[in-house]
Amino acid sequence: MKQIPALWFVLYVSCALCKAQIVRLELARPGAHPASWFSWPDGARRAYLRLRDTTVWWLIIDGNGCSNGLGQNIAEPQALRYRSAFRYPRTYSRVHSVGLPGDAGFCSHCDVAYCDKHWLPPRSGAPEKCPRGHAR
C-alpha cells in the first residue's frame, strides 16, 4: 500500500490537569489550504488568498498568548522544525526550540503543558509558577 503524504498537520496542546486546549497549530503543505479554511468567513478567505504563497508552507498558531491571525507563509525547514518539535512524546526542550512565546504552556521541569488557569500568577516580582512550584 502506498502512503499518501498528509495535506495538513493540525495539533492541539492540552493542559495536563484539566485537558483544556492551550494552543492549536496548523500546517498546510504548499498548494493546500489549511484544514480550518473551509469554516472561515468569506472575508477571511479573501484575505488569506491575498497573503498565501502557494509554493511554501502555511502556519497558523493560536493560543497561550500567541497568535498569528490567519497564519503566515513559512519555508519548508521551518515547517519541519514545528512538526518535529510537537511530535509525541512532546517535551519542553523540543517545544522550546521553536521559540513560541510561553512555550505552548510547557513547564521546563515537569515536561508537560498547563493552561493559564493552572499557572499560578506572579507575586511581588516573582515569576509565574506551575502547579508543582517550578518558575516559568
Side-chain angles (χ1 to χ4, degrees):
M1 176 182 349
K2 183 178 177 183
Q3 185 173 354
I4 300 170
L7 292 176
W8 304 299
F9 170 87
V10 181
L11 170 107
Y12 298 92
V13 176
S14 300
C15 176
L17 297 179
C18 69
K19 308 303 180 212
Q21 179 183 316
I22 302 169
V23 176
R24 180 179 61 87
L25 285 122
E26 190 171 342
L27 281 168
R29 290 184 169 278
H33 293 307
S36 60
W37 184 82
F38 300 102
S39 65
W40 294 359
D42 289 339
R45 287 184 189 190
R46 283 191 298 274
Y48 161 81
L49 292 171
R50 282 192 306 273
L51 297 170
R52 179 73 157 117
D53 175 350
T54 58
T55 65
V56 297
W57 289 75
W58 186 257
L59 170 68
I60 299 172
I61 301 169
D62 188 30
N64 196 41
C66 65
S67 173
N68 64 353
L70 294 176
Q72 66 192 66
N73 295 300
I74 61 171
E76 184 172 13
Q78 189 178 6
L80 296 176
R81 275 197 315 276
Y82 273 95
R83 285 177 60 150
S84 177
F86 285 93
R87 282 179 42 200
Y88 188 80
R90 295 180 197 117
T91 64
Y92 169 82
S93 62
R94 276 202 239 153
V95 171
H96 180 72
S97 73
V98 293
L100 287 177
D103 294 311
F106 273 79
C107 171
S108 61
H109 297 284
C110 298
D111 248 358
V112 296
Y114 299 109
C115 66
D116 287 341
K117 176 181 162 187
H118 289 104
W119 277 100
L120 305 174
R123 294 189 186 170
S124 3
E128 282 183 298
K129 293 191 176 187
C130 80
R132 297 177 77 195
H134 304 126
R136 192 176 215 180

